[in-house]
Amino acid sequence: MSVLKFLKNLLQYQPPKDDVFILEEGTWAQEAERAGEIPPTEQKAAAGSVAPRTEQGGDTGAAPGAYNKTDTPEDAEATTAPQPTAQREKRPERTLRKPVPISEKLTGESPEDRIAANLDANRSTLERLFHKPQNTDLVIRDFTLQATGQCGLLVYIEGIVNSDRLSYSVLQPLMLLGKARDTQLAPYVIETVEEHLMPVHQVAIIETWAEVIQNLVDGLALLFVDGDARALAIEARNFPSRAIGRAEVETVVQGPQEAFSENKRVNVSLVRNYLRNKDLITESVDIGSGNSAFVLYIAGVANQKLVDEVRRRLSSLEGSFLREPGHIEQMIEDHPNSLYPQTLTTERPDRVAIHLMQGKIAVILDGSPFALIVPITFFTLIKTPEDSYLRPAFGTLLRIVRVAAIFVAYLLPGIYLAIVEHHHAILPSDLLLAIAGSREGVPFPCWLEVVMMEVSFEVIREAGIRVPGVIGPTLGIVSALVLGQAAVAAAVASPILIIIVATTALAAFAIPNYQLQFSTRIIRFLYIAIGYALGLYGIVLGLAVQIFYTTSITSFGVGYLSPVAPSTKTDLDIVFRSPLWLHETRPDYLQSPDRVKKPRISRGWMQEDNHEKK
Amino acid sequence: MRKSNRLGAQELYALLLITVSSLVYFSTPRYFFLIAGNAAWLALSIAISVSLICIFIVNLLLKRRPGQNLISLNTQILGTWLGNVVNMLLVGHYVVTGALIIRLFGEAIVLTSLRSLPVSVIMITSVLFGLYGCYKGWNVIAKSCWISLPFIALSVFIPLVLAWTYWEPSYLLPFFGKGVDDTLFGGVFAAGVMGDIILTALLANAVQPQVNLMKVSISAMIVTGLIFMLVVVANSMVNSYPVAAYITIPYFSLARTLSFGRFLERLESVIFIIWVFAALLKIAVMIGTGIYVYKQIFNIADTKPLLLPYGAILMTTAIMPKSFPVVDKWSWIYMRSFGFVITLILPTLIALIGLIKLRGKQEVKAQP
Amino acid sequence: MKGRFALLTLLLLGVNLLSGCAGIGEIDETAFVFTITFDKGEKAPYQIGTRIPVPRLLGRIQGQLAFSGDGQEPYINTQVQTHSLAEALVMTQLFTGREVSLDHARTIIISEDLARESIEDVCQPLLRGLEIRGTTLLYISRGNAFRFINENKPLLEVNTSKFIELVSREQNVHGLTTAMPLNLFYSTLATEGAAVIPLAAINETVLAAAKAKEREPTALTKDEQADREAKAEMSEEQAEETGEKPPLRSVGSYLPGSIPRSGGNPIDFIGLAVFRNDKMVGVLDGNSALVYNMLRNNFHRTIISVKMPRHPDETVSLLLYKGRPPRIRVEDAGTRYKISVELVIDCDMETVSTGDRIRSVESLRDLETAVEKQLQQWVETTISMTQEWGADIFGFGNRLRSAFLTWDEWTRFNWSEAYKHAEVSVVITANLRRTGLIIGTY
């Protein structure tokens, strides 16, 4: 008995804490069950570790202590047994002292971080902070306040403010209006200005230099008045921006054509255009270095746990230049090393609106015409907005084509190589002769030929993207001629292989998601290698590993193949699409508090019709 | 293993179905011809009914003790020592069958398509794959099973049904094949082929609490039985008895006989792909089960350090037999003797004892 | 730890995969055999011939470039003397320079004299090997099999593999032969003790005419001379076998090699070779092959000619097609077994020579009777021939399986002996359904 116990203790070491955020999955019935009796997580623990340990009781001290000290306090609490004596106190974590940038340094409580009442002192501080003689962008405009006769400073950064607004809405009233020399107002001058003399829609009173810096670089103008240790931030932003353009990346034939631009305010308003909903929340989350992101969701539709998690991940970010969704994506993904994209990047406001309505969350950043949508599943990536704008049969057809394209893009060269190298029997005799005949005289082994053609195709694709627009078509012709015609004529490649490579490339382009395209391009080479080495068996092995991997990863706690595996209740909108009026519920995997999207009968006229007949 | 997710009914169903029915792709159907001659289907139906009865009794016990699995029940019913001996027998069983399956799989691949490859390459890659599956956990294996279920079902039915042009129903007669005794008793012992259905009882505590285990396992068993039946019946109608008993991999050769016009001829490659996939899933499940039982006996929290040693043990066991006929013979002898006893008879007996012991007692509430 | 594990896995995989590449045979480094022939050898048990396509020539014909026309035959035919197929492959490899693969073997042709000795030793090794598929088609060549593939020059196809597939499918149109894949033949032979393989032969008259046309010195080798003489004898024998020569000779009454024709590919596919317990015991002509197909429920359609009932010097050609599956009963009638066959055949009129006046429905009934008589005679002669050989190629014996409970009882019962003495009754019903676009003749 003691031998068993010894072995038990020997092998009983605590695994590293699995700190994975999981949005619970399950069917509605399970959800009800959970609400009743079962705690949502930690069910798995019942399998082995917790229950038997209670039998073990206080004997733990006799066992080799080395394996027990890693017990975490939570676990100790979970057991009803007396706590092991060898338990150590948890050490306080050592904090690392990191150099802090000056803007943060200034937010401290010391008096010199606050704005001074003396205008000259403020001026010299500003000039020091903004490297005034060298940096010509900072403009400091002196003027005298008509209302009180005090001196004032209007400070802004040239080029990112609206100078008309400053002249007519700020300087004009300040310099011209008000009873002259009304000295009684002097202590409350900032409030007076804010309430009476500033016909600008957004102003704010600030007190610290950190805020001053932040507001100035954000494009606001600041008003300092002599004798007051505060400043007034005036909204006058005018960053150059593009007009709303047509969608370039995610084009559709039928459906809205507009796309996001680089201004996050404009982008949010584009989304609001689709969702006239009081519950649509635009939450600003600081993502470090003075940047902030808008997190969009619909309250009561998005799961609060999910919203909290997105906020938590975003607000914890620190980095010098996190302006692109691409950057943010890499920083907040569940599996950053994965080849699958786990967020959806889209430039279409209608798409964002559709996903928000399902209970997903969008992140919009300044300076990028793309929005991030989380969480997503694999099947999100094979959809386009157009699918739902078309009749279900058309949408289904498009998706079946895409699914086929995904398989072709991943597997075709690998399968070709596997068959040509290992499984000659599979080909029909005519095709076999055609392949063998076309291979005659090609000086390279088959695998080298495939790799060569694939690589050269990658080169063409890269060149095609980087080449200036004017010579783009020329490049296409040249590469088609060189690789297609000449390579065959010179017996460097066999014509059948050219067909294979071209079909594969076309299939990759048929995948609607740009990032998924990338994954096919990389994984394809793995399939080529394993197909060459192990034939069709290798291909299947690779496929099985890929399926295992795909089922195991998550996007913000949602299983990647979600509506299928784990199979949850959902409307039929995965590959096959049911008619629009049957889409009544939100996907189960999103755990939305408001499951029902619309009433059972959404085509009221059908019902009226029936009534009339009766 | 992920902490929050347990297996749902569909995933468990797919897991059971693929685990048990993928034996159909190996030389297993042949054994029924060896037992009963052309009445293989009769022996098979007896085997199916025996395993159905066993799994029914085991499920009765599981129903009485929700949230517990066979391993913990063994120790509760038989006492810690005896119970753990039985559990170790299960581990041993899974080492042996896992090794046999891996070897059979490797040999089958070499036989059917990759003659130039050393068998160890296929074995090592398949073991590594199985270990990868175990590393990812039951959930992933079960989900993958669920995804691949439609394809696998298609691959089972297509070749068998498409071969109907060659069907000669009179080959199923004479009714009792090699004789009544041979057919009946051989059939009972051949139930060991279906022994993997005991996985329901082993995974009972990894399943969501509202899943009706009885329903899932019985329906999985019935569908598996139908698949086996289809393969055996089709085989005896197409290849007929004396030939069918000596075809190494009946399913594959059946798929190879298909020919529809000049284009739909080489269908076996498509079927081969899905066949390999199902077999790989089965290997992952076999490895996973062995480790799972072992883990629970010794109450190990994290199985990851066990994976490589376990894989090495399997690999060495699998590489030991000299040749394919030896493996084939041993797998048959093992399945109908030890396999039969360990996976069906012992659990059924323990379940019976447990049911008697438990009679009158209050139902035990599930442990969290 | 994680990294080390990954590294170890990668290492294992890498070593494995590299060793996997070792035995690879590239598609352009392999010679694919399309046809295999078996003949009796002199220095060894067998002479095994192979027909290997030259992909350089054939592949390009189908590709964009035309046949380069340097005069090389698109096929290499080789023959070696050895005792097994595997040895033959190695021997072929010795002078081909490429790995020889049987993956694409479509046809196996066995010479008649070899088949009359034993076919078991040829068939079983074929089934054991992975490369040969069960769907490979079997043919028995009257005369030398290797010579047969040498002279087989299909005119419409470049790919002989496709040619033989098309030939095997044609039996759906004429029913005068059948297609016998290897696995079906083997399992039938093993289960029922009797089976058939379609017959083929060189048509010497056509060949001679073609050779003469080429204006080559028609110096026949000794082999060819002997072969030709044997051929001539054989056809005479055959004429005697089938009994009195009917004045109207239908297509099906010929054996391969004796069809009166000229021009085209000098080979014929018609008739069946009958096997009993691994030995060839006899040949059946086209009509008997038709009967075989009908009784095996493998008959689709054919054309036969019958004499006009009231004008014996004129003939009508009729299109026959399947009416209903055959109904066959085998009963134990005390001392002997009784086989009763019922066939229902539908027919359409194809061509009618002038003279007879087919105007009434009654006259059509006469035609039906003529068809029935004709068929009845064919069925009866065919069955009685197989009874003489003791080869139940129609699977009558399967009907008796239900009378036995166990396999031992069944194997102890010697059906092929009982079959010899069985009593046969045949009932044929012909229904004339259509008369074509002209409903009658003047």
Side-chain angles (χ1 to χ4, degrees):
Chain A
M1 196 64 205
S2 61
V3 179
L4 259 182
K5 204 169 281 171
F6 172 73
L7 280 174
K8 210 189 266 179
N9 282 317
L10 192 70
L11 292 162
Q12 195 177 52
Y13 85 101
Q14 200 64 30
K17 193 96 179 125
D18 203 1
D19 188 22
V20 179
F21 168 71
I22 287 181
L23 196 64
E24 290 154 37
E25 292 154 352
T27 59
W28 293 9
Q30 291 162 24
E31 186 64 22
E33 188 105 12
R34 276 198 201 109
E37 39 196 89
I38 304 141
T41 51
E42 304 289 349
Q43 291 173 347
K44 201 73 184 184
S49 59
V50 179
R53 197 179 295 163
T54 49
E55 302 167 7
Q56 207 176 313
D59 296 348
T60 335
Y67 290 97
N68 273 325
K69 67 184 176 188
T70 46
D71 269 1
T72 53
E74 299 99 88
D75 274 333
E77 276 164 28
T79 58
T80 51
Q83 302 229 345
T85 47
Q87 189 94 25
R88 271 192 210 168
E89 287 280 312
K90 206 178 173 185
R91 236 190 246 170
E93 272 186 25
R94 253 173 61 191
T95 49
L96 200 65
R97 282 187 196 281
K98 207 174 135 189
V100 184
I102 192 154
S103 57
E104 281 178 33
K105 193 80 180 153
L106 286 170
T107 56
E109 293 302 314
S110 57
E112 62 263 33
D113 293 343
R114 308 184 71 87
I115 299 169
N118 186 333
L119 203 57
D120 288 335
N122 284 343
R123 182 202 297 271
S124 59
T125 312
L126 274 170
E127 285 177 349
R128 181 169 53 80
L129 284 175
F130 283 85
H131 317 280
K132 181 58 185 152
Q134 295 87 23
N135 189 353
T136 53
D137 275 1
L138 187 79
V139 177
I140 301 177
R141 167 83 161 81
D142 295 85
F143 66 95
T144 308
L145 212 61
Q146 170 73 3
T148 61
Q150 286 163 297
C151 286
L153 288 181
L154 185 69
V155 185
Y156 58 89
I157 291 177
E158 183 72 50
I160 60 173
V161 294
N162 186 337
S163 48
D164 280 357
R165 179 181 290 172
L166 286 185
S167 305
Y168 296 117
S169 306
V170 177
L171 287 175
Q172 197 175 27
L174 289 177
M175 291 167 81
L176 302 180
L177 295 184
K179 232 183 274 173
R181 316 278 185 254
D182 191 350
T183 45
Q184 279 177 345
L185 286 174
Y188 312 106
V189 64
I190 290 284
E191 283 83 357
T192 314
V193 169
E194 186 190 359
E195 283 166 21
H196 300 288
L197 294 173
M198 192 64 67
V200 173
H201 63 286
Q202 271 186 21
V203 288
I205 296 173
I206 55 174
E207 296 184 349
T208 63
W209 282 113
E211 287 170 292
V212 168
I213 293 167
Q214 186 62 50
N215 281 318
L216 276 176
V217 295
D218 264 358
L220 276 72
L222 292 184
L223 178 71
F224 294 86
V225 182
D226 197 17
D228 201 324
R230 291 173 299 174
L232 197 63
I234 303 154
E235 163 66 51
R237 265 180 274 217
N238 188 21
F239 283 101
S241 78
R242 203 158 54 102
I244 296 163
R246 290 173 70 89
E248 303 271 336
V249 184
E250 295 162 277
T251 48
V252 297
V253 178
Q254 237 183 59
Q257 305 287 345
E258 65 191 3
F260 286 135
S261 74
E262 276 81 357
N263 188 322
K264 69 179 170 187
R265 267 287 151 216
V266 175
N267 293 350
V268 171
S269 60
L270 281 173
V271 175
R272 281 203 182 269
N273 189 18
Y274 285 93
L275 288 177
R276 316 253 165 132
N277 190 332
K278 74 173 172 57
D279 293 329
L280 175 60
I281 294 181
T282 306
E283 200 177 305
S284 177
V285 177
D286 191 15
I287 51 170
S289 311
N291 292 322
S292 65
F294 281 158
V295 176
L296 268 70
Y297 57 94
I298 301 180
V301 170
N303 188 320
Q304 194 53 42
K305 222 174 130 190
L306 187 64
V307 177
D308 293 345
E309 178 68 18
V310 173
R311 192 188 299 126
R312 187 178 75 87
R313 287 194 191 178
L314 279 175
S315 58
S316 72
L317 294 185
E318 281 189 33
S320 54
F321 195 79
L322 292 173
R323 292 294 296 269
E324 266 296 310
H327 295 150
I328 300 290
E329 185 189 354
Q330 293 172 47
M331 303 289 275
I332 63 171
E333 270 173 343
D334 288 9
H335 307 270
N337 293 330
S338 168
L339 289 178
Y340 290 120
Q342 294 139 50
T343 59
L344 179 69
T345 316
T346 179
E347 57 165 354
R348 299 181 60 88
D350 56 329
R351 206 167 185 198
V352 172
I354 288 172
H355 283 288
L356 287 179
M357 272 313 283
Q358 287 197 332
K360 292 181 185 172
I361 296 174
V363 179
I364 291 180
L365 293 158
D366 227 343
S368 168
F370 289 96
L372 279 185
I373 294 169
V374 292
I376 58 153
T377 67
F378 182 78
F379 301 101
T380 318
L381 301 177
I382 62 166
K383 292 175 186 172
T384 66
E386 196 164 16
D387 300 352
S388 60
Y389 299 148
L390 296 172
R391 245 161 282 194
F394 305 163
T396 304
L397 174 77
L398 290 178
R399 281 187 204 162
I400 290 173
V401 168
R402 278 182 221 133
V403 169
I406 286 177
F407 276 103
V408 169
Y410 275 123
L411 299 176
L412 190 61
I415 287 183
Y416 169 76
L417 206 51
I419 288 175
V420 167
E421 299 281 1
H422 292 278
H423 308 274
H424 303 154
I426 284 172
L427 298 167
S429 300
D430 286 345
L431 185 57
L432 176 100
L433 281 183
I435 292 179
S438 69
R439 289 266 312 135
E440 296 288 339
V442 176
F444 309 111
C446 228
W447 66 270
L448 189 59
E449 204 188 343
V450 171
V451 170
M452 244 169 52
M453 294 310 291
E454 282 291 338
V455 167
S456 53
F457 183 78
E458 290 297 322
V459 171
I460 293 175
R461 186 193 326 231
E462 186 58 19
I465 293 173
R466 306 291 158 225
V467 83
V470 191
I471 44 174
T474 330
L475 184 88
I477 295 165
V478 168
S479 51
L481 269 178
V482 167
L483 280 172
Q485 284 295 110
V488 171
V492 176
S494 62
I496 300 230
L497 185 71
I498 303 266
I499 297 174
I500 301 269
V501 172
T503 315
T504 315
L506 279 180
F509 282 127
I511 300 172
N513 189 283
Y514 183 59
Q515 299 205 35
L516 196 62
Q517 278 185 29
F518 267 108
S519 86
T520 66
R521 284 158 71 177
I522 294 176
I523 294 174
R524 188 187 304 150
F525 281 97
L526 298 181
Y527 276 117
I528 289 175
I530 202 166
Y532 172 66
L534 295 179
L536 275 184
Y537 165 68
I539 298 279
V540 181
L541 193 72
L543 211 55
V545 169
Q546 203 182 347
I547 287 182
F548 268 25
Y549 180 74
T550 319
T551 45
S552 74
I553 64 172
T554 53
S555 157
F556 277 78
V558 169
Y560 204 56
L561 290 176
S562 233
V564 178
S567 58
T568 52
K569 208 172 172 182
T570 178
D571 293 329
L572 186 61
D573 187 17
I574 304 161
V575 175
F576 289 86
R577 240 187 93 81
S578 58
L580 202 57
W581 61 86
L582 290 179
H583 294 198
E584 284 155 5
T585 54
R586 305 204 154 84
D588 208 35
Y589 58 84
L590 286 173
Q591 304 289 323
S592 165
D594 184 13
R595 288 277 160 86
V596 181
K597 198 153 63 176
K598 67 180 175 205
R600 265 197 67 75
I601 290 156
S602 49
R603 293 180 302 164
W605 56 273
M606 293 282 284
Q607 213 176 15
E608 279 167 29
D609 239 352
N610 289 346
H611 279 304
E612 276 172 21
K613 265 178 204 165
K614 277 171 191 171
Chain B
M1 261 166 233
R2 281 282 152 73
K3 46 191 176 181
S4 81
N5 287 348
R6 290 180 167 206
L7 306 184
Q10 288 150 325
E11 281 113 20
L12 180 70
Y13 176 79
L15 188 75
L16 289 176
L17 189 60
I18 287 174
T19 310
V20 189
S21 70
S22 57
L23 269 181
V24 120
Y25 302 120
F26 298 100
S27 51
T28 321
R30 185 172 86 84
Y31 302 148
F32 291 98
F33 289 97
L34 288 177
I35 295 172
N38 54 353
W41 62 276
L42 203 60
L44 177 62
S45 52
I46 288 163
I48 293 168
S49 359
V50 167
S51 48
L52 268 177
I53 292 167
C54 291
I55 203 67
F56 176 75
I57 294 170
V58 172
N59 265 314
L60 277 184
L61 179 71
L62 291 174
K63 215 174 182 178
R64 296 283 289 274
R65 294 290 191 96
Q68 281 186 295
N69 67 351
L70 193 65
I71 306 157
S72 56
L73 284 171
N74 277 348
T75 50
Q76 280 179 26
I77 291 166
L78 298 176
T80 321
W81 262 109
L82 202 56
N84 275 336
V85 167
V86 172
N87 289 342
M88 280 313 285
L89 273 180
L90 269 173
V91 176
H93 167 78
Y94 277 102
V95 171
V96 174
T97 42
L100 280 174
I101 286 291
I102 288 160
R103 181 63 186 265
L104 280 175
F105 174 70
E107 297 284 353
I109 296 281
V110 170
L111 269 178
T112 52
S113 68
L114 292 167
R115 271 157 297 162
S116 54
L117 225 57
V119 70
S120 60
V121 173
I122 292 160
M123 286 158 70
I124 288 176
T125 43
S126 61
V127 167
L128 282 179
F129 169 77
L131 293 179
Y132 177 72
C134 299
Y135 182 84
K136 290 285 178 188
W138 274 125
N139 233 312
V140 167
I141 299 179
K143 279 184 205 169
S144 308
C145 285
W146 173 245
I147 294 175
S148 42
L149 195 61
F151 302 101
I152 289 172
L154 218 68
S155 83
V156 171
F157 288 107
I158 284 181
L160 303 173
V161 176
L162 285 189
W164 67 272
T165 40
Y166 297 116
W167 285 8
E168 174 63 62
S170 65
Y171 285 170
L172 289 173
L173 298 166
F175 192 80
F176 280 113
K178 275 188 172 174
V180 183
D181 330 349
D182 276 15
T183 309
L184 283 182
F185 291 110
V188 170
F189 286 106
V193 169
M194 315 276 170
D196 287 331
I197 194 73
I198 205 66
L199 206 62
T200 342
L202 297 179
L203 290 182
N205 61 346
V207 174
Q208 280 168 0
Q210 77 277 10
V211 171
N212 185 345
L213 277 178
M214 176 81 87
K215 208 171 121 191
V216 170
S217 56
I218 296 271
S219 58
M221 188 63 232
I222 288 173
V223 175
T224 307
L226 283 179
I227 291 172
F228 259 91
M229 192 60 95
L230 198 62
V231 172
V232 165
V233 166
N235 224 323
S236 51
M237 285 199 290
V238 173
N239 285 324
S240 76
Y241 160 55
V243 183
Y246 297 101
I247 290 179
T248 320
I249 300 162
Y251 181 82
F252 186 75
S253 64
L254 207 60
R256 266 170 80 95
T257 58
L258 295 183
S259 117
F260 285 85
R262 298 183 47 235
F263 300 104
L264 259 180
E265 190 190 3
R266 291 150 204 274
L267 269 181
E268 92 260 9
S269 53
V270 180
I271 288 149
F272 172 82
I273 287 177
I274 299 167
W275 167 47
V276 170
F277 192 76
L280 281 173
L281 282 176
K282 160 127 191 158
I283 289 172
V285 172
M286 295 310 265
I287 296 176
T289 319
I291 292 178
Y292 190 72
V293 178
Y294 187 81
K295 166 200 151 177
Q296 222 188 326
I297 296 173
F298 294 105
N299 195 13
I300 301 160
D302 188 13
T303 52
K304 278 161 196 170
L306 290 180
L307 293 178
L308 270 187
Y310 191 82
I313 290 171
L314 277 185
M315 200 48 218
T316 35
T317 321
I319 208 81
M320 271 196 282
K322 198 176 103 191
S323 63
F324 177 69
V326 174
V327 192
D328 191 50
K329 185 183 147 204
W330 274 105
S331 81
W332 177 219
I333 291 176
Y334 182 84
M335 265 183 209
R336 68 179 171 187
S337 55
F338 293 102
F340 178 56
V341 170
I342 293 172
T343 56
L344 290 178
I345 294 300
L346 263 183
T348 314
L349 284 178
I350 291 167
L352 282 174
I353 296 170
L355 284 172
I356 293 164
K357 264 188 169 179
L358 275 173
R359 193 190 291 165
K361 279 187 195 171
Q362 198 74 35
E363 273 196 15
V364 182
K365 192 84 181 153
Q367 298 270 329
Chain C
M1 177 61 206
K2 208 172 173 185
R4 231 178 284 163
F5 180 79
L7 198 70
L8 192 64
T9 316
L10 273 181
L11 212 71
L12 267 173
L13 268 177
V15 171
N16 266 291
L17 297 190
L18 281 179
S19 68
C21 308
I24 281 176
E26 295 250 342
I27 210 163
D28 53 336
E29 291 164 7
T30 315
F32 295 96
V33 175
F34 271 12
T35 313
I36 308 168
T37 64
F38 286 90
D39 283 301
K40 250 163 84 174
E42 290 150 11
K43 294 174 183 164
Y46 305 119
Q47 278 189 318
I48 296 175
T50 47
R51 169 170 253 205
I52 298 168
V54 185
R56 180 166 48 90
L57 304 174
L58 277 173
R60 291 229 167 160
I61 290 172
Q62 290 148 8
Q64 70 222 59
L65 298 177
F67 181 61
S68 55
D70 55 359
Q72 194 191 337
E73 284 277 317
Y75 290 95
I76 310 166
N77 299 333
T78 62
Q79 196 176 28
V80 292
Q81 298 211 4
T82 176
H83 59 267
S84 80
L85 184 60
E87 296 259 330
L89 286 192
V90 176
M91 285 173 82
T92 314
Q93 215 157 333
L94 290 178
F95 56 85
T96 324
R98 286 189 178 191
E99 188 188 332
V100 179
S101 157
L102 293 180
D103 276 336
H104 280 261
R106 199 81 197 76
T107 329
I108 294 168
I109 299 170
I110 302 162
S111 73
E112 186 179 343
D113 38 354
L114 182 65
R116 282 192 188 269
E117 277 177 13
S118 167
I119 201 169
E120 182 84 19
D121 297 341
V122 179
C123 265
Q124 213 169 13
L126 289 178
L127 278 170
R128 195 176 291 274
L130 165 66
E131 291 189 340
I132 298 234
R133 312 170 73 83
T135 49
T136 309
L137 296 165
L138 290 178
Y139 283 92
I140 294 288
S141 153
R142 315 210 74 183
N144 192 313
F146 185 63
R147 190 164 160 258
F148 176 84
I149 58 164
N150 268 331
E151 299 303 342
N152 176 15
K153 290 184 183 109
L155 300 174
L156 291 176
E157 323 299 336
V158 281
N159 183 347
T160 52
S161 187
K162 183 184 172 191
F163 170 71
I164 215 80
E165 277 163 15
L166 293 180
V167 164
S168 75
R169 267 202 322 192
E170 262 170 51
Q171 56 109 352
N172 296 341
V173 181
H174 56 63
L176 298 178
T177 176
T178 191
M180 188 52 70
L182 179 62
N183 64 334
L184 190 60
F185 173 75
Y186 185 71
S187 76
T188 318
L189 197 64
T191 335
E192 296 172 10
V196 296
I197 293 180
L199 268 182
I202 302 173
N203 197 323
E204 297 293 349
T205 42
V206 177
L207 185 63
K211 289 247 161 98
K213 210 175 177 186
E214 279 173 26
R215 285 185 197 159
E216 278 171 8
T218 52
L220 294 180
T221 60
K222 250 183 200 167
D223 266 6
E224 284 173 324
Q225 197 70 42
D227 233 26
R228 199 188 258 191
E229 280 161 19
K231 253 305 103 65
E233 268 173 47
M234 230 182 289
S235 55
E236 277 163 31
E237 274 174 26
Q238 199 56 45
E240 282 168 19
E241 260 178 38
T242 45
E244 80 276 20
K245 210 173 181 181
L248 172 70
R249 197 159 177 197
S250 63
V251 195
S253 64
Y254 293 101
L255 278 172
S258 60
I259 296 176
R261 67 183 178 104
S262 67
N265 191 3
I267 54 170
D268 296 340
F269 295 91
I270 191 171
L272 301 174
V274 178
F275 283 79
R276 184 190 155 202
N277 295 339
D278 92 342
K279 271 190 186 55
M280 179 171 161
V281 287
V283 289
L284 294 175
D285 62 4
N287 291 334
S288 300
L290 192 63
V291 171
Y292 170 83
N293 284 331
M294 283 175 176
L295 293 185
R296 278 283 186 182
N297 194 17
N298 192 26
F299 166 68
H300 299 276
R301 63 190 165 119
T302 190
I303 287 181
I304 67 165
S305 300
V306 290
K307 281 174 274 186
M308 285 287 188
R310 290 179 203 155
H311 301 262
D313 51 332
E314 285 169 10
T315 59
V316 186
S317 288
L318 294 133
L319 175 72
L320 263 58
Y321 49 97
K322 187 165 100 178
R324 238 177 274 157
R327 293 175 69 184
I328 299 166
R329 272 201 308 274
V330 185
E331 288 157 357
D332 190 354
T335 49
R336 56 201 290 206
Y337 284 87
K338 191 171 169 240
I339 301 169
S340 50
V341 176
E342 276 178 53
L343 283 175
V344 179
I345 303 288
D346 287 358
C347 37
D348 290 355
M349 273 165 69
E350 282 282 301
T351 54
V352 185
S353 56
T354 54
D356 196 43
R357 312 282 180 259
I358 300 171
R359 281 187 185 148
S360 61
V361 177
E362 286 69 33
S363 60
L364 293 182
R365 179 63 220 151
D366 290 347
L367 258 181
E368 285 172 357
T369 324
V371 172
E372 282 164 11
K373 252 189 207 160
Q374 179 73 286
L375 284 179
Q376 176 117 18
Q377 189 215 333
W378 287 350
V379 172
E380 276 168 2
T381 35
T382 310
I383 293 181
S384 69
M385 272 162 83
T386 59
Q387 273 181 317
E388 269 172 42
W389 298 323
D392 170 23
I393 56 171
F394 309 106
F396 291 142
N398 288 338
R399 267 85 183 172
L400 275 177
R401 279 175 172 241
S402 54
F404 297 90
L405 268 187
T406 64
W407 182 255
D408 288 343
E409 288 173 31
W410 166 246
T411 41
R412 251 180 272 133
F413 166 66
N414 191 350
W415 165 246
S416 58
E417 206 46 48
Y419 177 60
K420 281 184 181 172
H421 311 294
E423 184 191 332
V424 182
S425 69
V426 181
V427 179
I428 310 252
T429 316
N431 300 312
L432 205 140
R433 304 286 188 192
R434 267 155 234 106
T435 54
L437 286 177
I438 300 166
I439 209 156
T441 51
Y442 312 110

